[in-house]
């Protein structure tokens, strides 16, 4: 995995007994295993921590979310690339299979809820899928409505799920203007201010995001996760001040 592999790879520790590690050592090893995309080890580590009395939320935040944050930083800095991040995200998802029902059962609060989808006329989804994984890894509930979404599909998803954030993706220069169609419709219906709108995709840039009225343009999945966290916290801080 690039130049950091000697430091972070667990390949030399195939026989490592995760159950024999102290809690802090196990969490650190899970960060390594997540970085290396080792799904089985993440599931095992997740179950060990739960058996030791860790809450599902604590396992999520300290072991999985923090591990994906490390992955996101190295992806942003060009140390990791898409295939490696997809492996890490899939390992994260394996851990979430164990945690999700427990989080629901305990009513644990996520950072926020995001609806994401690729716009009408565009059937590309690798970037969108990676964004969804990174957002879930950052602590968001993610509703992925897939590809080729027209305005009504977005409106229906927003109405059904009541998210904090709407994310739109486009990979073609011919489909990226449709993002403005969606935002204009939100404005027309006086719904725009209810949602943080993030846009991304290869042909986009920051100027385009500003021109169509999005809250932010995100150049990759790691930046999307960071931006989503920042904007939702800023909005909630503003709401708290207004109430106070």
């Amino acid at each position: 995995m690039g130049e950091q592999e000697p430091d972070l790879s667990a390949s030399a520790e195939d026989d490592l007994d995760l159950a024999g590690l102290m809690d802090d050592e196990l969490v650190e090893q899970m960060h390594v295993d997540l970085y290396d995309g080792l799904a089985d080890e993440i599931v095992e580590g997740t179950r060990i921590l739960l058996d030791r009395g860790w809450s599902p939320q604590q396992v999520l935040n300290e072991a999985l979310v923090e591990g994906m944050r490390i992955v996101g930083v190295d992806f942003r800095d060009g140390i990791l690339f898409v295939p490696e991040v997809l492996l890490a995200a899939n390992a994260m998802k394996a851990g979430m299979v164990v945690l999700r029902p427990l989080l629901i059962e305990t009513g644990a609060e996520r950072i926020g809820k995001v609806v994401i989808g690729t716009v009408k006329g565009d059937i590309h989804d690798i970037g969108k899928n990676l964004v969804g994984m990174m957002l879930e890894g950052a602590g968001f509930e993610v509703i992925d409505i897939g590809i080729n979404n027209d305005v009504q599909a977005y409106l229906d998803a927003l109405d059904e799920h009541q998210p904090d954030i709407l994310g739109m993706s486009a990979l073609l220069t011919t489909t990226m203007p449709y993002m403005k169609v969606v935002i204009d419709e939100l404005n027309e219906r006086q719904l725009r201010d209810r949602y943080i709108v993030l846009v991304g995709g290869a042909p986009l840039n920051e100027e385009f995001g500003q021109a169509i009225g999005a809250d932010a343009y995100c150049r990759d999945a790691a930046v999307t996760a960071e931006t989503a966290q920042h904007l939702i916290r800023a909005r909630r801080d503003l709401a708290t001040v207004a109430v106070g």
Side-chain angles (χ1 to χ4, degrees):
M1 289 196 180
E3 61 192 61
Q4 288 202 359
E5 185 172 355
D7 296 323
L8 291 172
S9 175
S11 59
E13 302 179 58
D14 291 337
D15 297 326
L16 181 66
D17 179 16
L18 295 180
L21 299 176
M22 300 292 289
D23 285 6
D24 57 344
E25 296 173 330
L26 177 55
V27 169
E28 184 175 346
Q29 183 60 42
M30 288 177 71
H31 296 166
V32 173
D33 291 341
L34 196 60
Y35 195 97
D36 287 340
L38 303 179
D40 290 345
E41 285 78 356
I42 291 300
V43 169
E44 182 183 356
T46 297
R47 288 178 172 154
I48 290 170
L49 289 175
L50 291 171
D51 288 343
R52 291 179 181 178
W54 281 48
S55 72
Q57 188 72 53
Q58 186 180 12
V59 178
L60 173 66
N61 291 339
E62 296 187 25
L64 302 188
V65 171
E66 175 60 18
M68 282 303 292
R69 185 195 66 80
I70 296 167
V71 170
V73 169
D74 278 5
F75 178 52
R76 180 197 64 199
D77 293 344
I79 296 169
L80 293 180
F81 300 97
V82 169
E84 297 160 319
V85 177
L86 286 172
L87 283 174
N90 282 328
M92 163 83 186
K93 287 180 69 176
M96 286 301 299
V97 169
V98 177
L99 289 179
R100 188 175 289 108
L102 300 175
L103 290 166
I104 294 171
E105 189 177 290
T106 59
E109 185 178 354
R110 307 299 297 271
I111 292 177
K113 186 184 294 187
V114 185
V115 164
I116 61 171
T118 306
V119 298
K120 182 180 178 181
D122 205 317
I123 61 171
H124 296 89
D125 65 356
I126 293 178
K128 170 188 62 63
N129 293 347
L130 184 55
V131 166
M133 292 176 183
M134 290 294 290
L135 285 169
E136 188 166 21
F140 287 91
E141 178 183 353
V142 178
I143 297 95
D144 186 343
I145 61 173
I147 59 175
N148 194 29
N149 290 286
D150 61 13
V151 169
Q152 194 58 51
Y154 285 111
L155 291 174
D156 289 345
L158 294 174
D159 182 59
E160 177 182 356
H161 299 288
Q162 297 295 310
D164 304 285
I165 299 173
L166 169 62
M168 293 187 286
S169 172
L171 193 66
L172 305 174
T173 56
T174 54
T175 60
M176 55 190 270
Y178 197 80
M179 294 175 171
K180 185 175 187 301
V181 175
V182 178
I183 293 174
D184 286 348
E185 185 66 20
L186 291 176
N187 282 319
E188 181 69 23
R189 295 177 181 238
Q190 298 184 331
L191 298 173
R192 173 64 183 87
D193 291 342
R194 293 187 187 181
Y195 312 106
I196 295 168
V197 178
L198 305 179
V199 296
L204 280 66
N205 56 39
E206 189 170 350
E207 291 73 23
F208 176 81
Q210 292 174 350
I212 65 173
D215 289 286
Y217 152 73
C218 304
R219 64 179 173 84
D220 60 39
V223 170
T224 304
E226 293 175 357
T227 302
Q229 290 174 309
H230 171 74
L231 289 178
I232 202 167
R233 286 171 178 154
R235 174 170 285 203
R236 289 177 178 173
D237 288 346
L238 188 60
T240 300
V241 170
V243 171

